[in-house]
Coordinates of all heavy atoms in Angstrom, one line a residue:
M4 N 64.9 196.6 -3.5 CA 64.8 195.7 -4.6 C 66.2 195.5 -5.1 O 66.9 196.4 -5.4 CB 63.9 196.4 -5.7 CG 63.7 195.5 -6.9 SD 62.7 194.1 -6.8 CE 61.2 194.6 -6.0
A5 N 66.6 194.2 -5.3 CA 67.9 193.9 -5.9 C 67.7 193.7 -7.4 O 67.0 192.8 -7.8 CB 68.4 192.6 -5.2
L6 N 68.4 194.5 -8.1 CA 68.3 194.4 -9.6 C 69.6 194.0 -10.2 O 70.7 194.4 -9.8 CB 68.0 195.8 -10.2 CG 66.7 196.4 -9.7 CD1 66.6 197.8 -10.3 CD2 65.5 195.6 -10.1
L7 N 69.6 193.0 -11.1 CA 70.7 192.6 -11.9 C 70.4 192.9 -13.3 O 69.4 192.5 -13.8 CB 71.0 191.1 -11.7 CG 71.4 190.6 -10.3 CD1 71.4 189.1 -10.3 CD2 72.8 191.1 -10.0
F8 N 71.3 193.6 -14.0 CA 71.2 193.8 -15.4 C 72.5 193.4 -16.1 O 73.6 193.7 -15.6 CB 71.0 195.4 -15.7 CG 69.6 195.9 -15.4 CD1 69.2 196.2 -14.2 CD2 68.8 196.0 -16.5 CE1 67.9 196.7 -13.9 CE2 67.5 196.5 -16.3 CZ 67.1 196.9 -15.0
V9 N 72.4 192.8 -17.3 CA 73.6 192.6 -18.1 C 73.2 192.9 -19.5 O 72.1 192.5 -20.0 CB 74.1 191.1 -17.9 CG1 73.1 190.1 -18.5 CG2 75.5 191.0 -18.6
Q10 N 74.1 193.6 -20.2 CA 73.9 193.8 -21.6 C 74.2 192.5 -22.4 O 75.2 191.8 -22.0 CB 74.9 194.9 -22.1 CG 74.5 195.6 -23.3 CD 75.3 196.9 -23.6 OE1 76.3 197.1 -22.9 NE2 74.9 197.7 -24.5
L11 N 73.4 192.1 -23.3 CA 73.5 190.8 -24.0 C 74.9 190.7 -24.7 O 75.3 189.6 -24.9 CB 72.4 190.6 -24.9 CG 71.0 190.4 -24.2 CD1 69.9 190.2 -25.3 CD2 71.1 189.3 -23.2
N12 N 75.5 191.8 -25.1 CA 76.9 191.6 -25.7 C 77.9 191.5 -24.6 O 79.1 191.5 -24.9 CB 77.1 192.8 -26.6 CG 77.2 194.1 -25.9 OD1 77.2 194.2 -24.7 ND2 77.3 195.2 -26.7
G13 N 77.6 191.6 -23.3 CA 78.5 191.4 -22.2 C 79.3 192.6 -21.8 O 80.1 192.5 -20.9
Q14 N 79.1 193.7 -22.5 CA 79.9 194.9 -22.2 C 79.6 195.5 -20.8 O 80.5 196.0 -20.1 CB 79.7 196.0 -23.2 CG 80.4 195.7 -24.5 CD 80.3 196.9 -25.4 OE1 79.3 197.6 -25.5 NE2 81.4 197.1 -26.2
H15 N 78.3 195.5 -20.4 CA 78.0 196.1 -19.1 C 77.2 195.2 -18.2 O 76.4 194.4 -18.7 CB 77.1 197.4 -19.3 CG 77.9 198.5 -20.0 ND1 77.9 198.6 -21.4 CD2 78.7 199.5 -19.5 CE1 78.6 199.6 -21.7 NE2 79.1 200.2 -20.6
R16 N 77.5 195.2 -16.9 CA 76.8 194.4 -15.9 C 76.6 195.3 -14.7 O 77.5 196.0 -14.3 CB 77.6 193.2 -15.6 CG 76.8 192.3 -14.6 CD 77.7 191.1 -14.2 NE 77.1 190.4 -13.1 CZ 76.5 189.3 -13.2 NH1 76.3 188.7 -14.3 NH2 76.0 188.7 -12.1
F17 N 75.4 195.3 -14.2 CA 75.0 196.1 -13.0 C 74.4 195.2 -11.9 O 73.5 194.4 -12.3 CB 74.1 197.2 -13.3 CG 74.7 198.1 -14.4 CD1 74.3 197.9 -15.7 CD2 75.5 199.1 -14.0 CE1 74.9 198.8 -16.7 CE2 76.1 199.9 -15.0 CZ 75.8 199.8 -16.3
D18 N 74.8 195.3 -10.7 CA 74.2 194.6 -9.6 C 73.9 195.7 -8.5 O 74.9 196.1 -7.9 CB 75.2 193.5 -9.1 CG 74.7 192.7 -8.0 OD1 73.6 193.0 -7.4 OD2 75.3 191.7 -7.6
R19 N 72.7 196.0 -8.4 CA 72.4 197.2 -7.5 C 71.2 196.8 -6.6 O 70.2 196.1 -7.0 CB 72.0 198.4 -8.3 CG 73.0 198.9 -9.3 CD 73.9 199.9 -8.7 NE 75.1 200.3 -9.5 CZ 75.0 201.1 -10.6 NH1 73.9 201.6 -10.9 NH2 76.1 201.3 -11.3
V20 N 71.2 197.4 -5.4 CA 70.0 197.4 -4.6 C 69.4 198.8 -4.6 O 70.1 199.8 -4.4 CB 70.4 197.0 -3.1 CG1 69.2 197.1 -2.2 CG2 70.9 195.6 -3.1
V21 N 68.2 198.9 -5.0 CA 67.5 200.2 -5.1 C 66.5 200.3 -4.0 O 65.6 199.4 -3.8 CB 66.8 200.3 -6.5 CG1 66.1 201.6 -6.7 CG2 67.8 200.1 -7.6
K22 N 66.6 201.4 -3.3 CA 65.7 201.7 -2.1 C 64.4 202.3 -2.7 O 64.3 202.8 -3.8 CB 66.4 202.6 -1.2 CG 67.6 202.0 -0.5 CD 68.3 203.0 0.4 CE 69.6 202.4 0.9 NZ 70.4 203.4 1.6
P23 N 63.3 202.2 -1.9 CA 62.0 202.8 -2.3 C 62.3 204.3 -2.7 O 63.0 205.0 -2.0 CB 61.2 202.7 -1.0 CG 61.7 201.6 -0.3 CD 63.2 201.6 -0.6
D24 N 61.7 204.7 -3.8 CA 61.7 206.1 -4.3 C 63.1 206.5 -4.8 O 63.3 207.6 -5.2 CB 61.2 207.1 -3.3 CG 59.8 206.9 -2.9 OD1 59.0 206.6 -3.8 OD2 59.5 207.1 -1.7
E25 N 64.0 205.5 -4.9 CA 65.4 205.8 -5.4 C 65.4 205.5 -6.9 O 64.7 204.5 -7.4 CB 66.4 204.9 -4.7 CG 67.8 205.2 -5.2 CD 68.8 204.3 -4.4 OE1 68.5 203.2 -3.9 OE2 70.0 204.7 -4.4
R26 N 66.1 206.3 -7.7 CA 66.2 206.1 -9.1 C 67.4 205.2 -9.5 O 68.5 205.4 -8.9 CB 66.3 207.4 -9.8 CG 66.4 207.3 -11.3 CD 66.7 208.6 -12.0 NE 67.1 208.3 -13.3 CZ 66.8 209.1 -14.3 NH1 66.2 210.2 -14.1 NH2 67.2 208.8 -15.5
F27 N 67.2 204.2 -10.4 CA 68.3 203.4 -10.8 C 68.9 204.1 -12.0 O 68.2 204.2 -13.1 CB 67.7 202.0 -11.2 CG 68.8 201.1 -11.7 CD1 69.8 200.5 -10.9 CD2 68.8 200.8 -13.1 CE1 70.7 199.7 -11.5 CE2 69.7 199.9 -13.6 CZ 70.7 199.4 -12.8
D28 N 70.1 204.4 -12.0 CA 70.8 205.1 -13.1 C 72.1 204.3 -13.3 O 73.0 204.1 -12.5 CB 71.1 206.5 -12.7 CG 71.8 207.3 -13.9 OD1 71.9 206.7 -15.0 OD2 72.1 208.4 -13.7
T29 N 72.3 203.8 -14.6 CA 73.5 203.0 -14.9 C 74.7 203.9 -15.2 O 75.8 203.5 -15.1 CB 73.2 202.2 -16.2 OG1 73.0 203.1 -17.3 CG2 72.1 201.3 -16.0
G30 N 74.4 205.2 -15.5 CA 75.5 206.1 -15.9 C 76.0 205.8 -17.3 O 77.0 206.4 -17.8
V31 N 75.4 204.9 -18.0 CA 75.8 204.6 -19.4 C 75.0 205.5 -20.3 O 73.8 205.7 -20.1 CB 75.5 203.1 -19.7 CG1 75.8 202.7 -21.1 CG2 76.3 202.2 -18.7
P32 N 75.6 206.1 -21.3 CA 74.9 206.9 -22.3 C 73.7 206.2 -22.9 O 73.8 205.0 -23.2 CB 76.0 207.3 -23.4 CG 77.3 207.0 -22.7 CD 77.1 205.9 -21.7
E33 N 72.7 207.0 -23.2 CA 71.4 206.4 -23.7 C 71.7 205.7 -25.0 O 71.1 204.6 -25.3 CB 70.4 207.5 -23.9 CG 69.0 206.9 -24.2 CD 67.9 208.0 -24.2 OE1 68.1 209.0 -23.5 OE2 67.0 207.8 -25.0
K34 N 72.5 206.2 -25.9 CA 72.8 205.5 -27.2 C 73.4 204.1 -26.9 O 73.1 203.2 -27.6 CB 73.8 206.4 -28.0 CG 74.1 205.9 -29.3 CD 75.0 206.8 -30.1 CE 75.4 206.2 -31.5 NZ 76.2 207.1 -32.2
T35 N 74.3 204.0 -25.9 CA 74.9 202.7 -25.6 C 73.8 201.8 -25.1 O 73.8 200.6 -25.4 CB 76.0 202.9 -24.6 OG1 77.0 203.8 -25.1 CG2 76.7 201.6 -24.2
L36 N 72.9 202.3 -24.2 CA 71.9 201.5 -23.6 C 71.0 200.8 -24.7 O 70.6 199.7 -24.6 CB 71.0 202.3 -22.7 CG 71.6 202.7 -21.4 CD1 70.7 203.6 -20.6 CD2 72.0 201.5 -20.5
G37 N 70.7 201.6 -25.8 CA 69.8 201.1 -26.8 C 70.5 200.3 -27.9 O 69.8 199.8 -28.8
A38 N 71.8 200.2 -27.8 CA 72.6 199.5 -28.9 C 72.4 198.0 -28.9 O 72.6 197.4 -29.9 CB 74.1 199.9 -28.8
T39 N 72.0 197.4 -27.8 CA 71.8 196.0 -27.7 C 70.8 195.7 -26.7 O 70.3 196.5 -26.0 CB 73.2 195.3 -27.4 OG1 73.0 193.9 -27.4 CG2 73.7 195.7 -26.0
G40 N 70.4 194.4 -26.6 CA 69.4 194.0 -25.7 C 70.0 193.9 -24.3 O 71.2 193.8 -24.1
W41 N 69.1 193.8 -23.3 CA 69.5 193.6 -21.9 C 68.7 192.4 -21.3 O 67.6 192.1 -21.7 CB 69.2 194.9 -21.1 CG 70.0 196.0 -21.5 CD1 69.9 196.8 -22.5 CD2 71.2 196.5 -20.7 NE1 70.9 197.8 -22.5 CE2 71.7 197.6 -21.4 CE3 71.8 196.1 -19.6 CZ2 72.8 198.3 -21.0 CZ3 72.9 196.8 -19.2 CH2 73.4 197.9 -19.9
L42 N 69.3 191.8 -20.3 CA 68.7 190.8 -19.5 C 68.7 191.3 -18.1 O 69.6 191.9 -17.6 CB 69.5 189.5 -19.6 CG 69.0 188.3 -18.9 CD1 67.7 187.8 -19.5 CD2 70.1 187.2 -19.0
F43 N 67.6 191.0 -17.3 CA 67.5 191.5 -16.0 C 66.7 190.6 -15.1 O 65.9 189.8 -15.6 CB 67.0 192.9 -15.9 CG 65.5 193.0 -16.0 CD1 64.7 193.0 -14.9 CD2 64.9 193.0 -17.2 CE1 63.3 193.0 -15.0 CE2 63.5 193.1 -17.4 CZ 62.7 193.1 -16.2
T44 N 67.0 190.7 -13.8 CA 66.2 190.0 -12.8 C 65.9 191.0 -11.7 O 66.6 192.0 -11.6 CB 66.9 188.8 -12.1 OG1 68.1 189.3 -11.5 CG2 67.2 187.7 -13.1
A45 N 64.8 190.8 -11.0 CA 64.5 191.7 -9.9 C 64.1 190.8 -8.7 O 63.2 189.9 -8.9 CB 63.3 192.6 -10.3
C46 N 64.7 191.0 -7.6 CA 64.4 190.2 -6.4 C 64.4 191.1 -5.2 O 64.9 192.2 -5.2 CB 65.5 189.2 -6.1 SG 65.6 187.8 -7.3
P47 N 63.8 190.7 -4.1 CA 63.8 191.5 -2.9 C 65.3 191.7 -2.4 O 66.2 190.9 -2.8 CB 63.1 190.7 -1.8 CG 62.2 189.8 -2.6 CD 63.0 189.5 -3.9
A48 N 65.6 192.8 -1.8 CA 67.0 193.0 -1.3 C 67.4 191.8 -0.5 O 66.6 191.2 0.2 CB 67.0 194.3 -0.4
E49 N 68.7 191.5 -0.6 CA 69.4 190.3 0.0 C 69.0 189.0 -0.6 O 69.2 188.0 0.0 CB 69.1 190.4 1.5 CG 69.7 191.6 2.2 CD 69.7 191.6 3.7 OE1 69.6 190.5 4.3 OE2 69.7 192.7 4.3
Y50 N 68.3 189.0 -1.7 CA 68.0 187.8 -2.5 C 68.7 187.9 -3.8 O 69.0 188.9 -4.3 CB 66.5 187.7 -2.6 CG 65.8 187.2 -1.4 CD1 65.6 188.1 -0.3 CD2 65.3 185.9 -1.3 CE1 64.9 187.7 0.8 CE2 64.6 185.5 -0.1 CZ 64.4 186.4 0.9 OH 63.8 186.0 2.0
V51 N 68.9 186.7 -4.4 CA 69.4 186.6 -5.8 C 68.7 185.5 -6.5 O 68.0 184.7 -5.9 CB 70.9 186.2 -5.7 CG1 71.8 187.3 -5.1 CG2 71.1 184.9 -5.0
P52 N 68.7 185.6 -7.9 CA 68.1 184.5 -8.6 C 68.7 183.2 -8.4 O 70.0 183.1 -8.2 CB 68.2 184.9 -10.1 CG 69.2 186.1 -10.1 CD 69.4 186.5 -8.7
N53 N 67.9 182.1 -8.4 CA 68.5 180.8 -8.2 C 69.3 180.2 -9.4 O 70.0 179.2 -9.3 CB 67.4 179.8 -7.8 CG 66.4 179.5 -8.9 OD1 66.1 180.4 -9.7 ND2 65.7 178.4 -8.9
L54 N 69.2 180.9 -10.6 CA 69.9 180.5 -11.8 C 71.2 181.4 -11.8 O 71.1 182.6 -11.5 CB 69.1 180.7 -13.0 CG 67.9 179.9 -13.2 CD1 67.1 180.3 -14.5 CD2 68.3 178.4 -13.4
P55 N 72.3 180.9 -12.3 CA 73.4 181.8 -12.5 C 73.0 182.9 -13.5 O 72.4 182.6 -14.5 CB 74.5 180.9 -13.2 CG 74.1 179.5 -12.7 CD 72.6 179.5 -12.6
F56 N 73.3 184.1 -13.2 CA 72.9 185.3 -14.0 C 73.9 185.5 -15.1 O 74.8 186.3 -15.0 CB 72.8 186.5 -13.1 CG 72.2 187.7 -13.8 CD1 70.8 187.6 -14.2 CD2 72.9 188.8 -14.2 CE1 70.3 188.7 -14.9 CE2 72.4 189.9 -14.9 CZ 71.0 189.8 -15.2
T57 N 73.7 184.7 -16.2 CA 74.6 184.8 -17.3 C 73.7 184.8 -18.6 O 72.6 184.5 -18.6 CB 75.4 183.5 -17.4 OG1 74.6 182.3 -17.5 CG2 76.3 183.3 -16.2
V58 N 74.4 185.3 -19.7 CA 73.7 185.4 -21.0 C 73.3 184.0 -21.4 O 72.2 183.8 -22.1 CB 74.6 186.1 -22.0 CG1 74.0 186.0 -23.4 CG2 74.9 187.5 -21.6
E59 N 74.0 183.0 -21.0 CA 73.6 181.6 -21.4 C 72.3 181.2 -20.8 O 71.6 180.3 -21.3 CB 74.7 180.6 -20.9 CG 76.0 180.7 -21.7 CD 76.9 181.9 -21.2 OE1 76.7 182.4 -20.1 OE2 77.7 182.4 -22.0
N60 N 71.9 181.8 -19.7 CA 70.6 181.5 -19.1 C 69.5 182.5 -19.5 O 68.5 182.6 -18.8 CB 70.7 181.5 -17.5 CG 71.3 180.2 -17.0 OD1 71.1 179.2 -17.6 ND2 72.1 180.3 -16.0
Q61 N 69.8 183.2 -20.6 CA 68.9 184.2 -21.1 C 67.4 183.7 -21.2 O 66.5 184.4 -20.8 CB 69.4 184.8 -22.4 CG 68.4 185.8 -23.1 CD 68.9 186.2 -24.4 OE1 70.0 185.9 -24.8 NE2 68.1 187.0 -25.1
S62 N 67.3 182.6 -21.9 CA 65.9 182.1 -22.1 C 65.1 181.9 -20.9 O 64.0 182.4 -20.7 CB 66.0 180.8 -23.0 OG 64.7 180.4 -23.3
P63 N 65.5 181.1 -19.9 CA 64.7 180.9 -18.7 C 64.5 182.2 -17.9 O 63.5 182.4 -17.4 CB 65.4 179.8 -17.9 CG 66.8 179.7 -18.4 CD 66.7 180.2 -19.8
I64 N 65.6 183.0 -17.8 CA 65.5 184.2 -17.1 C 64.5 185.2 -17.7 O 63.6 185.8 -17.0 CB 66.9 184.9 -16.9 CG1 67.7 184.1 -15.9 CG2 66.7 186.3 -16.4 CD1 69.1 184.5 -15.7
S65 N 64.6 185.4 -19.0 CA 63.7 186.3 -19.7 C 62.2 185.8 -19.6 O 61.3 186.6 -19.7 CB 64.1 186.5 -21.2 OG 64.0 185.3 -21.9
K66 N 62.0 184.5 -19.4 CA 60.7 184.0 -19.3 C 60.2 184.0 -17.8 O 59.1 183.5 -17.5 CB 60.6 182.6 -19.8 CG 60.8 182.5 -21.3 CD 60.8 181.0 -21.8 CE 61.1 181.0 -23.2 NZ 61.3 179.6 -23.7
G67 N 61.1 184.6 -16.9 CA 60.7 184.6 -15.5 C 60.8 183.3 -14.8 O 60.2 183.1 -13.8
Q68 N 61.5 182.3 -15.4 CA 61.6 181.0 -14.8 C 62.8 180.9 -13.8 O 63.7 180.1 -14.0 CB 61.8 180.0 -15.9 CG 60.6 179.9 -16.8 CD 60.8 179.1 -18.1 OE1 61.9 178.8 -18.5 NE2 59.7 178.6 -18.6
Y69 N 62.8 181.8 -12.9 CA 63.8 181.7 -11.8 C 63.1 182.1 -10.5 O 62.0 182.7 -10.5 CB 64.9 182.7 -12.1 CG 64.5 184.2 -12.0 CD1 64.6 184.9 -10.9 CD2 64.1 184.8 -13.2 CE1 64.2 186.2 -10.8 CE2 63.7 186.1 -13.2 CZ 63.8 186.9 -12.0 OH 63.4 188.2 -12.0
E70 N 63.7 181.7 -9.4 CA 63.2 182.0 -8.1 C 64.2 182.9 -7.4 O 65.4 182.8 -7.6 CB 62.9 180.8 -7.3 CG 61.8 180.0 -7.9 CD 61.5 178.7 -7.1 OE1 61.7 178.7 -5.8 OE2 61.0 177.7 -7.7
C71 N 63.7 183.7 -6.5 CA 64.6 184.5 -5.7 C 64.9 183.8 -4.4 O 64.0 183.3 -3.7 CB 64.0 185.9 -5.3 SG 63.7 186.9 -6.8
V72 N 66.2 183.6 -4.1 CA 66.6 182.9 -2.9 C 67.6 183.8 -2.1 O 68.3 184.6 -2.6 CB 67.3 181.5 -3.2 CG1 66.3 180.6 -3.9 CG2 68.5 181.7 -4.1
R73 N 67.6 183.5 -0.8 CA 68.6 184.3 0.1 C 70.0 184.1 -0.4 O 70.4 183.0 -0.7 CB 68.4 183.9 1.5 CG 67.3 184.6 2.2 CD 67.6 184.6 3.7 NE 66.5 185.2 4.4 CZ 66.3 186.5 4.6 NH1 67.3 187.3 4.2 NH2 65.3 187.0 5.2
K74 N 70.8 185.2 -0.3 CA 72.2 185.1 -0.6 C 72.9 184.1 0.3 O 72.6 184.0 1.4 CB 72.9 186.5 -0.5 CG 72.5 187.4 -1.5 CD 73.3 188.7 -1.4 CE 73.0 189.7 -2.4 NZ 73.7 190.9 -2.3

């Protein structure tokens, strides 16, 4: 699974492929994680969202209005 996460204040961004039974760990302290909202997408490995993954596209992405396309 290809996961993209961005903190809405822009401080942290993660682009990771997570294998089955693998744990996704940002390495960011829990207090920091909860300090602001996050935006994320999930696509099969080797796929990306068809929308640019930016805070400006928060509304359609958070509503799931994106498709996963091959890189």
Side-chain angles (χ1 to χ4, degrees):
M4 181 70 50
L6 302 175
L7 293 171
F8 281 82
V9 67
Q10 199 168 12
L11 293 179
N12 66 8
Q14 284 188 325
H15 294 92
R16 181 185 171 102
F17 302 96
D18 183 351
R19 304 264 173 80
V20 173
V21 179
K22 297 176 184 173
D24 298 321
E25 183 179 23
R26 181 184 165 149
F27 175 75
D28 185 3
T29 64
V31 176
E33 189 172 332
K34 184 177 179 180
T35 303
L36 288 174
T39 185
W41 290 80
L42 181 63
F43 77 94
T44 61
C46 289
E49 300 187 22
Y50 284 73
V51 294
N53 64 333
L54 295 175
F56 188 68
T57 61
V58 174
E59 292 78 23
N60 283 327
Q61 175 183 353
S62 182
I64 288 173
S65 64
K66 293 176 184 175
Q68 297 172 335
Y69 66 90
E70 294 181 29
C71 296
V72 295
R73 276 205 184 271
K74 287 184 180 181

